Structures are given as structure tokens and as C-alpha cells.
Amino acid sequence: MEGLTLSDAEQKYYSDLFSYCDSESTKKVAAHGRVLELFRAAQLPSDVVHQIMELCGATRLGYFGRSQFYIALKLVAVAQSGFPLRVESINTVKDLPLPRFVASKNDQESRHAASYSSDSENQGSYSGVIPPPPGRGQVKKVSTSHDTVQPRTSADQQEPVSPVVSPQQSPPTSPHTWRKHSRHPSGGNSERPLAGPGPFWSPFGEAQSGSSSGDAVWSGHSPPPPQENWVSFADTPPTSTLLTMHPASVQDQTTVRTVASATTANEIRRQSSSYDDPWKITDEQRQYYVNQFKTIQPDLNGFIPGSAAKEFFTKSKLPILELSHIWELSDFDKDGALTLDEFCAAFHLVVARKNGYDLPEKLPESLMPKLIDLEDSADVGDQPGEVGYSGSPAEAPPSKSPSMPSLNQTWPELNQSSEDTAIVHPVPIRMTPSKIHMQEMELKRTGSDHTNPTSPLLVKTSDLSEENKINSSVKFASGNTVDGYSSSDSFTSDPEQIGNNVTRQRSHSGMSPDNTAPPPPPPRPQPSHSRSSSLDMNRTFSVTTGQQQAGVVAQPPAVPPRPQPSQAPGPVVHRPVDADGLITHTSTSPQQIPEQPNFADFSQFEVFAASNVNEEQDDEAEKHPEVLPVEKASDPASSLRVAKTDSKIEEKTAASAPANVSKGTTPLAPPPKPVRRRLKSEDELRPEVDEHTQKTGVLAAVLASQPSIPRSVGKDKKAIQASIRRNKETNTVLARLNSELQQQLKDVLEERISLEVQLEQLRPFSHL
Amino acid sequence: MEWFLVTSAAVILFLQNYPLYIRSVPTENELKFHYMVHTSLDVVDEKISAMGKALVDQRELYLGLLYPTEDYKVYGYVTNSKVKFVMVVDSSNTALRDNEIRSMFRKLHNSYTDVMCNPFYNPGDRIQSRAFDGMVTSMMIQVC
């Protein structure tokens, strides 16, 4: 642009305006936001404003630099004075009055203008410059055309004051051409000197009249929520904007806005309310949304698939682009489906949009899916933060590499499907450490004559275990210690693998019991892990399992106390962590379904362990009674378990010893079982059983001698819990497998990096 | 195949050789970037066909430096659904390492899947998602 010569008054005024607009002090003003409001306040026709922006080069640059801003202001003055907009007019028009910005501008600016104008300009020209408010609507169009929602958001939020305040404005978004809101046309730029709410309500009135005949959905939702709510809804956004932008301007808007006194009072009242109010969902609205949700998806905890939601929201006759944006905002976990909270947020946004409020760029806190409680919609302030945070973890796991989209999908769904708890992470966590659960589930399954699922699982786990043997039994051991089943201690009774098991158990224990906390990274087999630490974990698990027995996650009904400070609990606990643990989980779960059956397995392990560790035998003996009843109930399971335990025993010899000790007291079948399964196929297990006849013999003997009394008591509960655990364990298996694979991937990447480094070192000159 | 180009420059997202999304910084030279990207599409196709029946995993999705020329480098990335991402960066940005490019492509891919999840998005449309725009902008600012 040509050099811009400004008078001193102009210079000062412009720099003040620029500082005002440059709220972030970046020396350049975004093309939206305050600049647009400013221009709108200039009450120029929208095309003029558009032209001004083009002339000053802001559209080209995308933002207003100081020079562009000054040029724009100058052009505004030119336009307001009635001169044609030309680039040359910037400097050629002499004695130009300062650009006058009305309405949306601050008193300060008005004062500035007044002060400046008083210096030299002809004030009389100003009044002539101020066109009637309808011009603002046009200005809005301009702003809309300039950019998408964002500028309008601020603009419209300013505007909402007008609808409430000045009848001409009516629903702020009415001028927007692309808005198809049926209510708007009526409320559009018609100047009605009604009370502020008047024009605003008229659209509703019309909508209501039309709603009776209109779409069931969309018409429905205007009447149900009382107008007061909508009023507040409408008012609050302006209020908030006023708060941020021109708190004083509301009251200062006289002229046409005198009517707004009542509404202004409302606004002022609302101004005092929290900033989230504009987007807060009132109870009636919420109830309406919930009812609408039910029509699509009767299960309030379920999802609305994307296609159904698309149909539903398309009925609102909003443009696809806006609906797409609304979806982006409301689908918090990006899973292509809407939960109840997401649906309410989306609905709320649609309603807001139809009422003329621009869509925010990011989801307001009050609309964030509340994982805590549906009724907490009123307490937006604190919860959104939590929800947002808790929601984000849910998103974080899902936002894995694109190569694992399925997994990404499952995580959020898992999170959502589990009751809308504030805890997001725990959901996946609960899944993972459920080797024990799987064992239990499988055991219960077998107990309930579901041998088929069990066997495949067992077979599968055994196959996997074979594959994962490379990862060493250590991993199995840790994998087996799914949840803090104290019975896992028995798993770790294998003396051979005590050391390994310890490490594994530790990792697993870190994972399993923490149903409500993010699982610690599965500790890889590390010889440095001390048994004591793993044992502690087991102890922790046992405690937690007991506490969580109520069904926190895949905790077996009977909390296996893990008083045993032996290593077994630790290693066993850690086992499930590894990917192999997944297999072991599956293998152990059946075994663990009935606690007693688990004990049977454990006792087997313990038996084996006993052969290696004397102290285990005591535990085994203790556990046998518990195990026996279980095994009696499910012979196949027991046989499998035996087989599995044999395999596991091999791995967990070391761990089993301490595990047995601890297991003696705990009815749960700890992860060792899954590990065992993983290690060997059933067939192998059986032969191994033969190998470990001594253990099995002892075990069988013990089992046989035990009555099944204790089992029957817990069986009812266990059956229910087993089924739950079964499902959870399958998820856990997959999750563990995933974690294992990811770990392997990491390892490989590390190796690659190290190799690359070496390569670089060897060829220093190749990189020049 | 739609294509997606990102450079330092420009980002273009391709699908069936049809641009789904184009963004370049600075805004001028866009035509030049288009030309470069179109030529690089040939290289991408060549690499895809070379992979043949190779198992397509995320590692292989990243095609790496397609070819460095003059003052710019072109990187390619293809998804399982044959959506190609092409990124053109100035050679002056020597600070850009391969891992950074990979991470950028990963972010792009993630954002692209998010866009796909939107039921209101019809595959084949130009991508108008604001979230996507924001992500690309932030990435390009980081690069430039």
C-alpha cells in the first residue's frame, strides 16, 4: 500500500485501536476477532468492509499488521465519510474524520473517537455515519464470508447482545446466508422495537408454531425447553463475550438498544455467572437430549453410530460443513460414534448454531463428555477439567499410530462402555491384568460346562506360549500374575523360574491390581528385580484384589490374600504384563475362574514348586483343599489346569514356591496359570504333567481329598464374575499382546538406532 | 488416489492422484509445489509397486525421501488405503531429520483418520476440517 500519512490525532487513535485489537501483543492482529468486531462496529455495509480488508491487504496476508490495520482504519473513515473506497483515497482524502466505531466498541473507543473528533474533525459527520443497526447484520455477513466460524464466533457473540438488545438483530446468525435455520428469516433484520427478548423469542414462537408441523426432532426441541432457558442460553453467550470484550458497551448501547434494559439486566446477571454458562446445558435441555438419544439408542451407555447420528443431525438442516465441525468438536474420542455425553454436546451445539451462535473452535468445557456423571452437567466448572483430563487419556491411548486403528477404536469404546467413570485409564488397565480373570473365567466356564471355550483358549494360550517361549519363562511368570490374585503366588512357586518369575510378577503385579490406575510399564524380564519387590507387589495385589473384590475389575471374587512375602507372588504378578502374559491370562483365567479351581492349579504348581522348594509344599497342601473342590467341579478344567500348571510349574518353579505359600491363604488362582498355559499346549501340559507326576500326584491327592464345599458357596458369585472376567480377560489378552508387540517394536527400533549410530561413527564423512 | 502435500512449504494429501488437501507455506510458489508434487507422485507410485506384496505395516507406509532436487526435498507416505501424503520441504531446513518427518507423517495420518471418522465427511471431498487445518498449520510453523 502506499505510504499512509496520518495526522497526529489519527495516529494516536489508530495506535490505540491497534493496541486494543492486538490483544496478544503480537504486533499483528488476526483477521478475525476484535478487528472484525471493530469493523462491524463501524456500521458499514459488509461488502464495504470486505473491500476494505482486501484493500489493506489483510486478506492476502491473513492477518492485520500494523500498517494494514491503519490502512483499514483509514479506509473505514473514508467509507464512513461516504467517499469511494480506493487505495488512493487513503492519502488523497484530506481532513478525513476519524473512523467511527459504534455499538460494539468500547466506551473507551467511543471516547477516543470523541476526543479525537473534537480535535479537528467534524463531529456532525459521525452521526450520519452511523447507519441503523441492521447494517450490523450485513457486517456480520462480511465477517462470515471472511472466515469460517471463528470470527463469527466472536462477532456473533458480540452480536447476541444485539438480538437481545436490539430487535433488529434478532438471532445473530440470521444474516448469515448459509444458515438455513428456519427461525431466522422471520427474526432476521426486521426491525422490531420490541423488548429485547421479543425478536429473539419470535423466532422461537414461529419455530414453535412451525414445529408442530415440522420435523419431529427439530421442532420438538424448541418447545420443550422453556423459552427462558433459551433466553438464558442466548443471553449468556453475549454475556460472556461482553465480559471479554465490551462489558461496558452493553449498557452503553443506547439508541435502539434502549429496549434491552430488561435483557441487559439479565445479561448483567449472567455476566456474573461463570463463563461456561453460554454452553452449559440446562437440565431441561439435557433431559430432552437424553430422550432424543434414547430414540436412537435405547441404551444410555451405548453409542450412536456415526451413520445414525449423521441422519439425525442432518435433519437439523444445518450445512454439512457445520455439522462436520460440530461432529469434530463433540466426538471427543474420535471413534466415529457418540456416547450420551457426546451426543448431548453435539445436540447442544446444533441448537446453539440454529439459534445463531457461532460454533466455537474448540469444545467448551461444559460440553466435554462427562465421564463422571450425567447429572453433573451443572457443575461444569470443575468437572470439565477433570473430564477433559480423564477424557484425554482415553484419547491418548486411542491415538496410536494409524497402523493400529482397530486398537485405537477399542480403547475409547472400552472406556466408554464401562460406566461413565471419571477414570479412563483404569478401564484398559483393568483389562490387561486379567490373566487371572481369564483363568478364572475359563475355569468357571469349564465349571459351567463350557469346556469348549476353555480349551481353545488353553490351546491358544499354549500355542502362544510356545511362540513366546523365546521371551523366556520369565515373561510368562510375570504375565501370569495378572491381577493381584494372590494365588499368583502359587504360580511363582516354580523354583526354577523364581528369579524370572519375580521379575515378571513384579511387572505384572504392577499392572494387574491397578485397575484404577494406569498400569505401569510392563517390566521386562530383568534379573535385577528382587523378589522382595515383587513380593511386595503381590502383597499389594492381594490386598487390592481383596478390596476390589466387589468387582472393580477382573478381580476374582475371593481376594487371595498374599501375605506371603515370598517371591512367588511377585513374579507371578509380573508375568501377565508381558505379551505372553496375554496367553497366560487366557490360560490362567479358566483356571482361576473358580478360585478354588485356581487353587487346584496352584496347588499343582505348588506341588511342583514344593519339589523344588520345601516351603511351597505347605502352601500347596493348603491350597489343595481349595483346589480340589474346584477341580472336582470341572474335570476338564482341572485336567487342563493340571496340564497347564505343569507347564507353568516349569516356568514358575522358582516363583511357585513363595506363591504356594501365599496361595495357601488365598483362594484365587494367580496368574501363574496363564503363564503355564502359554508355555505349553494342553498336550504338552499333559505330558509334562506326567513328568511332574510327583507334583500332580500330590496335587491330585490333595484335590481329591478336599470337599467341594467352599466352592459351592462362592460359585454363584464366581459364575457371574467369571463371565465378566472372561470378557475382560479376552480384552486383556489382546491388550497384552499389543503391549508385547509394541515393546518388541521398541526394542527393534532401539537396535536400529544404535546400528545407525554406529554406522555414522564408522562413516563420518558420508554425512558431509 | 488423493494426495496430500506438505511443504515447508507444502502439504498435499492425495487420493487417487486427486488432491484432497493442499497447504503450503508460504502461500506463493504453490504452483511450483504442485508441479513438484505431481512429479513426485510418479516416484510414489513406483515405490508402491516396488513394494509389491510386501506386508504393509506402518514402517513401510513411510516412503522416505522420494528424491532431493535443487533446493527442496520431497517425502512420501502412503496409507493402507492408498492415500498418499507428500511433503515438500526446503533443503535449507537441514535440521529436519528423518524421524521428524516420520512423526509428522504419523500425525498427519492420525489427523486424517480423525477426519475420516467424521460421518459428515464424504471420502473424496476436499478436507475442510478445522482441526486438520490447525494441526497442519502447527506442523508447518514448526518446520519453517
Side-chain angles (χ1 to χ4, degrees), chain A residues 753-766:
Chain A
I753 291 173
S754 64
L755 287 173
E756 285 182 359
V757 167
Q758 290 178 8
L759 195 62
E760 278 191 41
Q761 290 170 356
L762 292 174
R763 298 183 197 171
F765 299 99
S766 64

Side-chain angles (χ1 to χ4, degrees), chain A residues 90-101:
Chain A
I90 293 176
N91 289 326
T92 53
V93 177
K94 303 297 180 193
D95 296 334
L96 201 58
L98 288 175
R100 171 90 175 177
F101 300 99

Side-chain angles (χ1 to χ4, degrees), chain A residues 149 324-325 327-328 400 402 745, chain B residues 59 109-110 118-119 129-131:
Chain A
V149 173
S324 174
H325 186 64
W327 177 276
E328 265 177 32
K400 297 182 182 134
L745 176 66
Chain B
R59 222 83 64 87
H109 196 163
N110 284 334
N118 191 330
S129 149
R130 267 169 274 191

